[in-house]
């Protein structure tokens, strides 16, 4: 590196060459270069990529003491935008290494005109150098030749700009050895880069260490003589350990035989380039492009090996190959035929389906005319291809295939136009329409079948498409609307119904088709004859082969007569319920009226039996006992009737409390002891261990047990036995009462729980009762949320079982009872 230079000083006759990294560095250097020229009264040309960059250049120059507008007016400064740079670069010949083509384009003409007008001594111009098709060194030589040919008599001080990524380390050596004045940016300042001839070591050290490529110098036997820090980092050695090693020991995958071949080739040509994968010490692999050149180093023949990391290029190449593979896979897997052809109609590439459809393969002419597909053509005939220069889509009746069949098809054609608007052929897609045509026939058949089905239904039926338009209806629907089919089909609900009805049901019907849902509802409709009808409307979606074919079918079922019958039945039911309530109310009132005198009868008979008012003889005592017992029996019947009536009226509530199960059973047993003792019937009970209490209505639970146990005693024979068991099953209390009495037929299991029912008239004569006890048991158990059932056999006894929840979920809170009479 040399100290920072000044653009105002003398510039070499052949100009300067600058290597930059970023676009901002290029702009900064060019601005300083042009500004210095204007300060020295030189003529200057600043070439920029586009009009926006031209404005930026003017602003940069205006930020100094220069009068830029005056310089432009006096033709001392010309800022020339290349405008669409990419387009111009694309059109330049591949042999050109300069930024644009001097022989074509408006910017080039402006430069030549500006150079050849006016009197001036020196001219400054900036030129970008690109490695298009050749090396940077060759491009620079060609550019200098062009400048000399166009301006032989002028003194030009060009500034050549080279992007760092476009030049290799080897080319830097070439430029310096060729005498180019190289400028680079170092530590924020632009400085000269040159080799001091007096110090070979310093020359190579500067170049080696400033390069972004790995550089090795080895002798003709492969021993390393020099290496820069990039090479040391790549192979994982320090410079001292690197020197003296053989290149085959650096994990370069180069064998001695291969190395000898490379040396022989270098001796013949002096230059050799190849690619290889270098293995780092950390195990990673770095792909490199190696440029080997034969040089003289320290007085002996040597090889300078410059390695450039091509990882990014390899990734780009891999991505390109992957893209091509995906493209080819899509091309081959495309379900239809696809082909690309040139402007003469010759097929460049095509997939297998295209060959099968058309009978044409690569390097053949298309066998059908795109503009005028033939109506009829023999399989062996091939028409000329007419290629239009506009996109085209057409249906053809058939395509001649390799099997000489007629295949219905569809053609889509897209022309390919080059950047210079020239016709370069096109791409053609051929789709086999055999399945499409078959589906069209099936759809037509399905549509006809649907219409016939609708016509055969006797009730009104309509059919709507996804937009809510009527597409079919039957005769019954015509009668309902009062119009002919021609006046219905193609219309919507808005054409027949009031606006408020249409706004409600039209969007609803469209939504049903879209979502594929069903809907059933009742409605009152006024028919065309003015009569009102109650109908059930059932709407459902009939799915076609494709979504577009899905329609909504609505079936209207007239339920007017059924509704009228239901109304009559409802009225009869209400009348029956009213009569039943009146009956129940009457029974309740009558029961109250009967209990008052009955209590007096029982009370006075008991008073007589006490003989407080005088002794009774045996006959009087017997009659009085009959009066008391009959009155008590009648009172029980009346109380049961009253309970049944209250249940029917819903006037009975449960009052929950914690009930001791064994206590309730013992209490009921004591009450019934006189009856069981009279018939010499033993009562035994067994309660599951751990089962002590439950939450229930104590009074109702006692009445349930009393009625079941009373029945068991009543229908048991003399000297019989009754067993009571209580156990816990699935959070339910299950209590069973088993007797060895007369039993029940299986057909009568349900009847025994109905009120006022006796299974046999003979039983009712022999045993007391009106058949209310078990009916009350069923009602009270169900009030607790439980159930009751019976299992029995005639002559072998019966087992009555009921279950109630141990802890009911929905219960009235327990009430504190201070007076036992409050629960009656």
């Amino acid at each position: 590196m040399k100290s920072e230079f000044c653009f105002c000083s003398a510039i070499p006759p052949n100009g300067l060459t600058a290597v930059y990294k970023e676009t901002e560095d290029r702009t900064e250097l060019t601005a300083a270069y042009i500004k210095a020229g204007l300060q020295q009264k030189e003529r200057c040309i600043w070439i920029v990529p586009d009009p926006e960059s031209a404005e930026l250049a003017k602003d940069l120059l205006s930020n100094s003491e220069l009068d830029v507008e005056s310089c432009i007016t006096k033709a001392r400064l010309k800022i020339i935008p290349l405008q669409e740079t990419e387009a111009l670069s694309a059109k330049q010949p591949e042999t050109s290494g300069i930024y644009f083509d001097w022989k074509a384009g408006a910017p080039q003409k402006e430069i030549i005109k500006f150079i050849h007008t006016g009197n001036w001594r020196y001219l400054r111009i900036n030129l970008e150098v690109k490695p298009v098709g050749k090396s940077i060194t060759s491009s620079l030589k060609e550019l200098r030749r062009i400048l000399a040919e166009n301006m032989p008599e002028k003194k030009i001080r060009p500034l050549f700009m080279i992007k760092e990524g476009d030049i290799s380390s080897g080319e830097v050596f070439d430029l310096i050895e060729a005498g180019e004045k190289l400028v680079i940016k170092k530590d924020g300042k632009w400085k000269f880069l040159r080799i001091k001839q007096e110090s070979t070591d310093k020359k190579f050290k500067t170049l080696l260490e400033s390069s972004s490529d790995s550089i090795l110098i080895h002798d003709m036997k492969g021993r390393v003589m020099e290496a820069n820090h990039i090479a040391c980092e790549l192979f994982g050695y320090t410079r001292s350990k690197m020197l003296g090693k053989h290149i085959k020991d650096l994990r370069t995958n180069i064998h001695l035989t291969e190395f000898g071949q490379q040396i022989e080739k270098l001796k013949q040509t002096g230059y050799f380039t190849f690619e290889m994968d270098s293995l780092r010490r950390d195990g990673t692999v770095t792909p490199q492009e190696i440029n080997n050149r034969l040089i003289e180093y320290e007085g002996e023949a040597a090889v300078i090996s410059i390695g450039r990391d091509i990882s990014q290029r390899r990734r780009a190449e891999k991505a390109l190959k992957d893209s091509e593979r995906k493209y080819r896979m899509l091309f081959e897997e495309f379900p239809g035929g696809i082909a690309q052809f040139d402007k003469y109609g010759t097929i460049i590439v095509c997939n297998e389906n295209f060959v099968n459809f058309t009978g044409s393969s690569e390097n053949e002419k298309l066998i059908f005319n795109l503009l005028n597909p033939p109506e009829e053509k023999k399989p062996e005939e091939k028409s000329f291809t007419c290629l239009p220069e506009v996109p085209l889509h057409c249906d053809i009746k058939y395509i001649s295939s390799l099997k000489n069949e007629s295949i219905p098809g569809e053609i889509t054609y897209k022309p390919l136009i080059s950047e210079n608007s020239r016709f370069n052929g096109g791409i053609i897609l051929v789709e086999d329409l055999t399945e499409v045509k078959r589906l069209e026939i099936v759809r037509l058949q399905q549509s006809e079948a649907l219409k016939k089905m609708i016509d055969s239904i006797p009730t009104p039926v309509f059919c709507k498409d996804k937009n809510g338009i009527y597409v079919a209806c039957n005769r019954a629907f015509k009668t309902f609307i009062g119009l002919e089919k021609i006046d219905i089909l193609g219309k919507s609900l808005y054409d027949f119904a009031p606006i408020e009805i249409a706004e409600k049901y039209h969007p609803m019907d469209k939504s049903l088709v879209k979502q594929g849902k069903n809907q059933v509802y009742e409605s009152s409709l006024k028919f065309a004859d003015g009569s009102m009808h109650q109908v059930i409307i059932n709407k459902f979606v009939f799915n076609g082969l494709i979504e577009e074919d899905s329609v909504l079918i609505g079936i209207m079922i007239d339920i007017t007569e059924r509704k009228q019958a239901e109304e009559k039945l409802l009225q009869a039911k209400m009348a029956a319920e009213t009569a039943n309530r009146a009956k129940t109310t009457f029974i309740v009132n009558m029961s109250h009226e009967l209990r008052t005198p009955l209590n007096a009868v029982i009370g006075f008979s008991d008073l007589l039996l006490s003989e407080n008012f005088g002794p009774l003889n045996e006959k009087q005592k017997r009659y009085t006992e009959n009066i008391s017992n009959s009155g008590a029996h009648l009172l029980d019947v009346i109380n049961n009737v009253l309970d049944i009536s209250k249940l029917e009226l819903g006037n009975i509530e449960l009052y929950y409390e914690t009930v001791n199960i064994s206590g309730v059973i013992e209490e009921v047993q004591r009450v019934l002891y006189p009856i069981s003792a009279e018939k010499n019937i033993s009562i035994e009970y067994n309660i599951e261990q751990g089962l002590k209490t439950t939450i229930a209505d104590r009074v109702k639970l006692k009445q349930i047990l009393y009625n079941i146990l009373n029945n068991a005693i009543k229908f048991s024979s003399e000297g019989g036995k009754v067993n009571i068991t209580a156990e816990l099953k699935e959070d339910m209390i299950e209590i069973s009462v088993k007797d060895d009495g007369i039993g029940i037929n299986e057909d009568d299991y349900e009847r025994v729980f109905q009120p006022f029912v006796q299974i046999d008239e003979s039983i009712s004569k022999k045993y007391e009762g009106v058949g209310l006890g078990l009916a009350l048991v069923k009602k009270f158990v169900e009030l607790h949320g439980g159930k009751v059932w019976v299992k029995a056999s005639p002559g072998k006894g019966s087992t009555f079982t009921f279950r109630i929840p141990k802890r009911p979920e929905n219960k009235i809170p327990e009430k504190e009872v201070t007076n036992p009479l409050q629960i009656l």
Side-chain angles (χ1 to χ4, degrees):
M1 300 297 299
K2 191 179 179 182
S3 62
E4 185 178 3
F5 63 92
C6 176
F7 279 118
C8 294
S9 61
I11 295 178
N14 60 347
L16 292 173
T17 302
V19 179
Y20 67 90
K21 286 186 177 181
E22 306 295 339
T23 304
E24 292 78 5
D25 296 337
R26 180 184 68 186
T27 305
E28 171 195 305
L29 181 62
T30 307
Y33 164 75
I34 297 296
K35 192 184 297 182
L38 293 175
Q39 289 173 347
Q40 297 184 101
K41 309 299 181 182
E42 296 179 6
R43 178 171 287 199
C44 299
I45 297 176
W46 189 343
I47 300 175
V48 295
D50 49 54
E52 292 183 1
S53 301
E55 293 297 324
L56 175 62
K58 188 182 295 185
D59 292 339
L60 290 173
L61 295 176
S62 299
N63 291 332
S64 63
E65 298 177 354
L66 294 171
D67 186 353
V68 177
E69 294 298 334
S70 176
C71 292
I72 294 175
T73 305
K74 295 179 180 179
R76 289 184 51 218
L77 172 64
K78 186 73 171 180
I79 301 176
I80 301 176
L82 294 180
Q83 296 178 358
E84 297 183 7
T85 309
E86 294 180 1
L88 291 169
S89 298
K91 295 177 183 177
Q92 67 183 0
E94 292 185 358
T95 55
S96 174
I98 58 177
Y99 192 51
F100 55 85
D101 187 358
W102 284 80
K103 300 178 181 179
Q108 293 83 334
K109 293 178 181 178
E110 282 192 58
I111 294 172
I112 300 298
K113 181 180 179 182
F114 186 77
I115 289 174
H116 289 285
T117 56
N119 296 319
W120 50 271
R121 186 178 179 184
Y122 295 104
L123 179 136
R124 297 191 180 200
I125 184 171
N126 65 302
L127 296 169
E128 185 88 7
V129 182
K130 294 284 185 181
V132 181
K134 55 178 65 180
S135 66
I136 287 291
T137 306
S138 300
S139 298
L140 268 174
K141 288 181 180 178
E142 183 178 349
L143 188 54
R144 292 188 188 283
R145 178 184 59 78
I146 293 172
L147 288 173
E149 289 176 356
N150 284 274
M151 295 150 280
E153 74 285 358
K154 304 293 183 179
K155 294 182 179 180
I156 299 177
R157 293 173 170 175
L159 174 62
F160 301 109
M161 309 292 289
I162 305 172
K163 191 166 185 178
E164 186 179 282
D166 294 336
I167 188 170
S168 66
S169 300
E171 289 175 320
V172 172
F173 283 112
D174 292 341
L175 291 177
I176 293 176
E177 291 177 352
E180 291 289 342
K181 302 299 180 182
L182 286 182
V183 181
I184 65 171
K185 194 172 187 180
K186 184 75 172 179
D187 300 327
K189 297 179 180 180
W190 290 95
K191 298 181 180 181
F192 281 115
L193 176 65
R194 69 177 186 176
I195 299 174
K196 292 183 179 180
Q197 300 298 328
E198 67 277 5
S199 176
T200 304
D201 290 340
K202 289 184 179 179
K203 172 185 70 173
F204 276 101
K205 183 179 180 180
T206 300
L207 289 173
L208 291 176
E209 297 305 325
S210 64
S211 173
S212 59
D213 299 328
S214 68
I215 300 178
L216 281 177
I217 299 176
H218 61 82
D219 61 17
M220 302 301 283
K221 295 181 180 180
R223 298 292 174 182
V224 177
M225 304 173 69
E226 188 58 76
N228 68 349
H229 72 283
I230 300 294
C232 293
E233 180 184 350
L234 174 67
F235 294 108
Y237 293 99
T238 61
R239 180 175 176 275
S240 60
K241 291 185 178 181
M242 178 85 77
L243 300 181
K245 280 187 174 293
H246 196 282
I247 60 169
K248 70 179 179 63
D249 298 327
L250 298 179
R251 297 179 297 280
T252 57
N253 296 328
I254 298 177
H255 301 290
L256 287 176
T257 303
E258 192 176 353
F259 174 74
Q261 294 173 352
Q262 292 179 7
I263 293 297
E264 290 300 321
K265 191 168 185 178
L266 280 171
K267 288 179 180 179
Q268 297 173 7
T269 62
Y271 188 84
F272 181 57
T273 301
F274 63 95
E275 292 184 6
M276 74 171 189
D277 292 332
S278 298
L279 179 65
R280 292 175 177 264
R281 292 191 70 181
D282 61 4
T284 59
V285 176
T286 301
Q288 284 189 305
E289 181 184 72
I290 307 299
N291 293 288
N292 285 350
R293 177 172 295 181
L294 201 61
I295 64 171
E296 182 179 339
Y297 184 73
E298 295 182 351
E300 62 178 278
V303 177
I304 182 170
S305 181
I306 302 174
R308 170 161 292 184
D309 188 343
I310 57 173
S311 300
Q312 186 173 359
R313 190 178 80 187
R314 285 275 182 91
R315 287 193 293 270
E317 290 173 351
K318 183 179 182 301
L320 180 60
K321 289 180 180 179
D322 290 343
S323 176
E324 289 176 351
R325 186 169 59 253
K326 290 178 182 178
Y327 168 78
R328 190 67 192 179
M329 181 179 67
L330 291 174
F331 193 84
E332 292 297 337
E333 296 299 326
F334 184 72
I338 181 171
Q340 181 181 352
F341 50 87
D342 60 19
K343 60 184 178 181
Y344 303 108
T346 302
I347 301 172
I348 301 171
V349 62
C350 65
N351 66 355
E352 187 176 351
N353 285 336
F354 187 86
V355 177
N356 294 336
F357 290 162
T358 65
S360 300
S361 58
E362 295 180 12
N363 302 320
E364 289 186 4
K365 290 273 188 177
L366 295 179
I367 63 172
F368 47 82
N369 190 315
L370 286 176
L371 288 182
N372 300 297
E375 293 295 328
E376 293 183 0
K377 183 174 61 175
K378 295 180 180 179
E380 65 274 7
E381 292 181 352
K382 294 188 177 182
S383 64
F384 292 103
T385 301
C386 182
L387 302 178
E389 298 186 12
V390 295
L392 184 67
H393 178 90
C394 62
D395 293 335
I396 58 177
K397 289 187 176 181
Y398 66 87
I399 302 171
S400 296
S401 71
L402 293 176
K403 299 178 182 179
N404 296 328
E405 316 180 308
S406 294
I407 303 174
E410 180 181 73
I411 292 177
T412 302
Y413 159 75
K414 172 72 176 178
L416 297 177
I417 307 299
S418 66
E419 293 182 355
N420 58 0
S421 301
R422 292 181 180 177
F423 175 67
N424 280 348
I427 295 176
I428 188 168
L429 305 178
V430 181
E431 182 180 0
D432 184 354
L433 298 182
T434 303
E435 183 65 15
V436 174
K437 297 296 184 183
R438 186 189 70 80
L439 289 178
E440 286 180 355
I441 296 173
V442 173
R443 288 173 63 191
L444 182 61
Q445 293 173 346
Q446 186 184 67
S447 177
E448 291 298 323
L450 179 61
K451 290 179 180 179
K452 290 180 180 179
M453 181 191 73
I454 290 175
D455 285 335
S456 65
I457 298 175
T459 60
V461 181
F462 62 84
C463 185
K464 293 182 179 182
D465 64 12
K466 65 176 184 177
N467 297 315
I469 304 301
Y470 289 97
V471 294
C473 66
N474 64 354
R475 296 184 184 87
F477 188 77
K478 287 172 21 183
T479 304
F480 161 66
I481 294 289
L483 297 172
E484 294 298 323
K485 275 190 180 182
I486 193 171
D487 299 319
I488 298 174
L489 304 185
K491 305 291 181 62
S492 71
L493 192 59
Y494 286 97
D495 297 307
F496 312 117
I499 186 66
E500 62 274 8
I501 300 296
E503 288 180 349
K504 178 181 179 181
Y505 289 103
H506 182 76
M508 188 184 299
D509 291 348
K510 291 172 62 178
S511 178
L512 288 174
V513 178
K514 183 177 180 180
Q515 299 177 10
K517 293 184 176 181
N518 301 340
Q519 185 184 36
V520 180
Y521 59 93
E522 293 185 12
S523 181
S524 297
L525 296 178
K526 187 175 182 179
F527 278 37
D529 59 4
S531 59
M532 292 297 298
H533 292 256
Q534 290 288 328
V535 296
I536 292 179
I537 301 178
N538 187 353
K539 296 179 180 178
F540 60 92
V541 176
F542 182 83
N543 295 314
L545 293 176
I546 60 175
E547 186 178 351
E548 294 295 322
D549 291 341
S550 296
V551 293
L552 181 71
I553 296 178
I555 301 176
M556 303 165 58
I557 302 174
D558 193 338
I559 58 171
T560 305
E561 293 182 0
R562 193 184 80 184
K563 282 291 184 181
Q564 291 172 352
E566 288 177 356
E567 183 66 25
K568 291 179 180 178
L569 185 60
L570 181 61
Q571 291 176 359
K573 181 183 177 184
M574 291 174 62
E577 289 177 350
T578 301
N580 189 53
R581 284 194 297 270
K583 175 208 72 175
T584 303
T585 304
F586 169 75
I587 292 174
V588 172
N589 293 334
M590 182 60 67
S591 298
H592 282 290
E593 293 299 326
L594 289 173
R595 283 205 299 180
T596 301
L598 191 57
N599 284 329
V601 172
I602 296 171
F604 283 119
S605 61
D606 290 343
L607 185 62
L608 291 173
L609 286 173
S610 67
E611 297 182 331
N612 290 333
F613 297 96
L616 300 175
N617 56 37
E618 288 301 322
K619 189 174 185 180
Q620 290 172 336
K621 195 173 184 178
R622 189 171 63 254
Y623 289 162
T624 304
E625 286 178 351
N626 288 337
I627 294 171
S628 179
N629 291 336
S630 298
H633 177 67
L634 182 58
L635 183 60
D636 286 341
V637 172
I638 292 172
N639 285 335
N640 286 339
V641 171
L642 185 59
D643 286 341
I644 288 290
S645 302
K646 287 181 178 179
L647 285 169
E648 290 181 352
L649 291 174
N651 293 336
I652 291 184
E653 294 181 353
L654 298 181
Y655 298 96
Y656 286 92
E657 59 181 299
T658 301
V659 179
N660 186 286
I661 297 174
S662 61
V664 170
I665 294 175
E666 289 176 358
E667 187 176 346
V668 172
Q669 184 181 1
R670 283 196 302 270
V671 172
L672 292 173
Y673 178 75
I675 303 175
S676 62
E678 184 179 349
K679 298 180 67 174
N680 195 24
I681 295 174
S682 64
I683 300 176
E684 297 178 358
Y685 65 91
N686 180 30
I687 300 176
E688 182 181 333
Q689 187 176 3
L691 179 60
K692 296 181 179 180
T693 62
T694 186
I695 297 176
D697 186 313
R698 181 183 179 83
V699 175
K700 301 298 186 293
L701 182 58
K702 283 175 59 178
Q703 194 166 353
I704 292 168
L705 284 169
Y706 178 88
N707 289 346
I708 294 177
L709 189 55
N710 186 33
N711 262 22
I713 295 170
K714 182 190 303 183
F715 294 104
S716 292
S717 304
E718 292 281 344
K721 184 171 65 174
V722 176
N723 290 320
I724 305 173
T725 59
E727 54 187 338
L728 183 64
K729 289 189 177 180
E730 300 177 355
D731 293 331
M732 302 283 283
I733 301 296
E734 182 175 294
I735 299 176
S736 298
V737 178
K738 181 179 180 182
D739 62 59
D740 53 5
I742 61 174
I744 306 170
N745 290 319
E746 186 175 353
D747 295 340
D748 297 324
Y749 283 176
E750 294 296 329
R751 293 184 60 219
V752 296
F753 294 105
Q754 296 177 7
F756 305 107
V757 171
Q758 290 283 6
I759 301 304
D760 194 340
E761 291 296 329
S762 61
I763 293 177
S764 63
K765 291 178 181 179
K766 182 177 180 181
Y767 301 98
E768 296 179 351
V770 292
L772 290 176
L774 292 179
L776 283 173
V777 167
K778 186 174 186 298
K779 294 287 185 181
F780 289 156
V781 169
E782 290 175 349
L783 275 177
H784 279 82
K787 63 178 181 177
V788 62
W789 65 93
V790 63
K791 288 186 178 180
S793 298
K796 295 183 180 181
S798 305
T799 301
F800 284 84
T801 307
F802 69 90
R803 279 186 183 182
I804 59 172
K806 189 173 187 301
R807 296 183 179 274
E809 296 180 0
N810 301 319
K811 65 184 182 66
I812 301 174
E814 298 181 19
K815 294 186 177 181
E816 183 178 355
V817 180
T818 57
N819 185 354
L821 295 178
Q822 290 179 354
I823 65 175
L824 296 178

